[in-house]
């Protein structure tokens, strides 16, 4: 295995440009143990009991934690994710481990879809943060031979999102399932998902074996999730059709901004590796998505989720709008309002960024994506602030991540008032992102 010294460090950011969550040595070792324990066959399961397969944005973010243990293993994590690419180009939200059957819904629900490496995959995707993670890994431990093949995979993925998933040319991908947003039961999806025709009554839920029902989505949510999976399978996962006629179709500002950033990062990396045509195309993609987001920004600078079926905007401030801080071309007005809301306004908590604004009638402080703080959202907001020059804001969020894990442990999410750990135990991205430094751009 290549040692850390064997990487070319000529262009890596100096220590002063890395910001860390203030964890002591014992907690850092503990976080490493979580990642090692959840590692399987070159990728990291989000949690061995609750999520025993490979998830898309989990894997990409977990790779950032692996950098602190073994840069080689970090590249491998992304390679395993890339290996699951579907024939149409998307990276699936789940690539199934054939030996694990303790997750509902399993691969049989998705109609025999297979990734390039032969694993069973789902028919939907998740927030496309992978190219951003590759760039962050590469900037610490450059390995052109490992990075170059991934550029093409991610370019095809982004082409899919701006191709079949962009049938009306709005330049933001159409999100066709709440699971694609990664923020499954967030209140912003309550209205768009209410019209879905229920096709499923019986549920074989396993997720409440290890986690209290009050911390998980409801049965009604699950009937909707499964009904949408059945509807997708009925049309053979024709992605363009689902993006034009599906029962659930939304624009998610968080998903779009993550993609804009990923295209920007792909362009930067392709530039460093001398891949000019990938660079040009990715740059153009980043600009198009950013323009689309700016076009939907309201007078205060917030980009809201939009229900394409009813043509209505959902105005509840949530993590999705906060994540638009990742947009590489976000304007001053947006940066100002998000900075305020995240650090000291309605999304602020002593334990990170809230998934739903404090005091909203549909906020629930312990129910999954309806109120708790999540380390991935908090860390991504910290990285977004750092990219836009707010080093102090980024450091404050990392400090809050450290508070959350000290108080609540390596849990999946945290009560925004008390810091109590909620959801799955020994959760991978909580450990990975408590380890991973935020990178501050150079002058
Ligand atoms: C959660 O979603 C899965 C479905 O994809 C589930 O509840 O079974 C979400 O938090 C999602 O964002 C995350 O990627 C996944 C695995 O951690 O769990």
């Amino acid at each position: 295995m290549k040692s850390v010294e064997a990487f070319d460090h000529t262009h890596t950011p100096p220590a002063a440009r890395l910001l860390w969550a203030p964890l002591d040595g014992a907690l850092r070792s503990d976080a490493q143990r979580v990642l090692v324990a959840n590692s399987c066959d070159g990728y990291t399961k989000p949690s061995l009991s609750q999520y025993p397969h490979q998830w898309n944005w989990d894997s990409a973010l977990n790779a950032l934690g692996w950098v602190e243990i073994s840069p080689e293993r970090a590249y491998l994590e992304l390679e395993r994710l890339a290996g699951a690419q579907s024939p149409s180009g998307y990276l699936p939200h789940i690539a199934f481990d054939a030996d694990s059957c303790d997750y509902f819904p399993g691969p049989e629900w998705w109609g025999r879809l297979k990734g390039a490496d032969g694993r069973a995959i789902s028919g939907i995707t998740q927030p496309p943060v992978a190219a951003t993670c590759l760039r962050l890994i590469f900037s610490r431990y450059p390995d052109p031979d490992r990075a170059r093949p991934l550029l093409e995979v991610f370019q095809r993925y982004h082409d899919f999102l701006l191709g079949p998933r962009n049938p009306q040319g709005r330049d933001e991908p159409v999100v066709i399932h709440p699971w694609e947003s990664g923020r499954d039961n967030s209140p912003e999806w309550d209205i768009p998902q209410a019209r879905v025709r229920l096709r499923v009554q019986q549920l074989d839920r396993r997720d409440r074996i290890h986690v209290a029902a009050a911390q998980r989505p409801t049965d009604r949510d699950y009937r909707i999730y499964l009904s949408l999976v059945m509807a997708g399978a009925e049309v053979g996962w024709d992605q363009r059709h689902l993006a034009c006629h599906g029962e659930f179709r939304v624009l998610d500002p968080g998903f779009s901004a993550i993609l804009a950033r990923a295209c920007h990062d792909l362009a930067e990396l392709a530039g460093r590796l001398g891949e000019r045509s990938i660079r040009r195309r990715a740059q153009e993609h980043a600009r198009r998505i950013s323009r689309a987001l700016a076009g939907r920004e309201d007078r205060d600078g917030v980009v809201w989720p939009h229900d394409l079926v009813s043509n209505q905007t959902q105005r509840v401030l949530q993590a999705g709008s906060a994540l638009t801080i990742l947009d590489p071309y976000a304007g001053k007005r947006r940066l100002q309002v998000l900075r305020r809301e995240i650090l000291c306004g309605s999304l602020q908590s002593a334990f990170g960024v809230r998934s739903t604004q404090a005091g909203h009638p549909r906020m629930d402080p312990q129910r999954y994506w309806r109120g708790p703080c999540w380390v991935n959202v908090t860390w991504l907001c910290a990285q977004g602030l750092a990219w836009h020059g707010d080093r102090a804001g980024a450091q404050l969020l990392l400090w809050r991540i450290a508070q959350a894990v000290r108080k609540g442990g390596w849990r999946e999410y945290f009560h925004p008032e008390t810091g109590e750990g909620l959801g799955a135990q020994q959760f991978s991205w909580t450990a990975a992102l408590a380890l991973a430094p935020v990178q501050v751009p150079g002058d």
Side-chain angles (χ1 to χ4, degrees):
M1 199 188 280
K2 195 161 161 177
S3 72
V4 165
E5 293 74 36
F7 288 88
D8 171 11
H9 289 287
T10 332
H11 301 289
T12 55
R17 295 221 312 265
L18 300 176
L19 306 178
W20 305 85
L23 296 184
D24 63 24
L27 269 180
R28 289 188 73 79
S29 310
D30 225 35
Q32 296 190 359
R33 271 195 289 278
V34 171
L35 282 187
V36 171
N38 292 348
S39 171
C40 152
D41 208 9
Y43 67 88
T44 320
K45 296 183 173 183
S47 131
L48 292 183
S49 51
Q50 188 81 343
Y51 306 111
H53 303 289
Q54 184 174 22
W55 262 260
N56 179 332
W57 73 327
D58 295 71
S59 236
L61 295 170
N62 290 333
L64 299 178
W66 277 108
V67 174
E68 307 310 311
I69 305 172
S70 155
E72 286 265 300
R73 177 63 182 73
Y75 280 106
L76 180 61
E77 183 86 32
L78 295 182
E79 287 160 358
R80 293 290 277 131
L81 177 60
Q85 189 160 40
S86 80
S88 54
Y90 69 87
L91 295 183
H93 105 291
I94 301 178
F96 290 97
D97 173 356
D99 297 327
S100 293
C101 47
D102 206 13
Y103 177 79
F104 175 80
E108 64 284 359
W109 282 81
W110 300 95
R112 287 192 234 291
L113 296 175
K114 291 261 187 275
D117 59 13
R119 276 184 291 170
I121 58 170
S122 61
I124 57 173
T125 187
Q126 261 195 330
V129 72
T132 291
C133 295
L134 176 62
R135 181 189 173 196
L136 289 169
I137 294 168
F138 190 90
S139 80
R140 304 271 311 284
Y141 297 103
D143 190 336
D145 295 341
R146 305 285 292 270
R148 204 182 301 277
L150 292 171
L151 296 182
E152 270 181 37
V153 173
F154 297 155
Q155 184 186 34
R156 276 192 67 212
Y157 182 22
H158 300 169
D159 282 350
F160 164 86
L161 292 170
L162 287 177
R165 283 301 186 84
N166 179 29
Q168 269 110 28
R170 291 170 185 264
D171 290 347
E172 283 185 72
V174 178
V175 165
I176 63 164
H177 194 295
W179 281 338
E180 286 201 317
S181 71
R183 307 184 313 280
D184 309 359
N185 68 339
S186 178
E188 67 217 286
W189 314 136
D190 289 356
I191 295 173
Q193 73 174 25
R195 73 176 77 86
V196 172
R197 181 169 70 78
L198 294 185
R199 299 158 169 86
V200 180
Q201 284 310 322
Q202 279 303 101
L203 295 170
D204 177 21
R205 292 184 67 171
R206 315 275 169 89
D207 59 307
R208 294 185 300 206
I209 297 174
H210 307 283
V211 175
Q215 297 171 24
R216 290 290 305 173
T218 63
D219 276 349
R220 178 170 161 78
D221 290 331
Y222 258 78
R223 289 198 180 92
I224 292 169
Y225 301 156
L226 272 295
S227 298
L228 283 169
V229 173
M230 286 182 82
E234 274 162 22
V235 297
W237 292 104
D238 178 337
Q239 299 284 342
R240 189 175 293 274
H241 176 87
L242 290 164
C244 287
H245 307 290
E247 288 167 84
F248 181 92
R249 277 177 288 128
V250 298
L251 300 180
D252 169 9
F255 189 109
S256 301
I258 285 173
L259 180 60
R261 171 60 65 178
C263 292
H264 174 81
D265 290 336
L266 187 67
E268 291 291 310
L269 190 52
R272 269 189 79 172
L273 292 172
E275 300 286 348
R276 300 232 299 266
S277 81
I278 297 184
R279 174 164 183 266
R280 225 174 302 119
R281 191 170 174 75
Q283 234 166 17
E284 186 213 312
H285 281 169
R287 292 218 180 87
R288 273 169 53 192
I289 304 161
S290 272
R291 260 200 303 272
L293 282 168
R296 295 206 299 111
E297 202 175 282
D298 75 2
R299 280 186 15 229
D300 300 323
V302 180
V303 190
W304 301 99
H306 187 78
D307 180 359
L308 288 167
V309 179
S310 66
N311 202 21
Q312 270 169 16
T313 296
Q314 312 292 315
R315 300 174 79 90
V316 188
L317 192 62
Q318 282 157 124
S321 295
L323 287 168
T324 62
I325 194 116
L326 287 167
D327 177 350
Y329 303 108
K332 226 176 169 175
R333 192 175 51 171
R334 189 185 320 158
L335 294 176
Q336 262 169 3
V337 70
L338 292 183
R339 186 173 185 276
R340 192 178 60 235
E341 293 299 341
I342 289 168
L343 297 178
C344 49
S346 64
L347 291 173
Q348 172 258 342
S349 144
F351 307 99
V353 178
R354 292 168 184 262
S355 44
T356 299
Q357 70 182 79
H360 191 275
R362 283 187 282 154
M363 194 278 289
D364 178 339
Q366 52 170 342
R367 199 181 283 282
Y368 211 38
W369 287 96
R370 298 181 79 84
C373 298
W374 289 71
V375 168
N376 65 331
V377 169
T378 306
W379 192 93
L380 285 168
C381 287
Q383 186 58 78
L385 285 169
W387 271 320
H388 290 292
D390 185 0
R391 190 186 169 104
Q395 189 64 71
L396 178 59
L397 290 185
L398 291 172
W399 196 82
R400 288 176 180 166
I401 288 177
Q403 285 289 90
V405 300
R406 273 193 222 115
K407 187 83 194 280
W410 306 111
R411 299 293 292 269
E412 191 179 4
Y413 37 97
F414 299 86
H415 192 295
E417 305 297 339
T418 66
E420 182 196 354
L422 303 166
Q425 316 258 355
Q426 305 297 99
F427 194 72
S428 297
W429 77 33
T430 302
L433 296 172
L435 286 173
V438 155
Q439 296 185 22
V440 180
D443 304 323

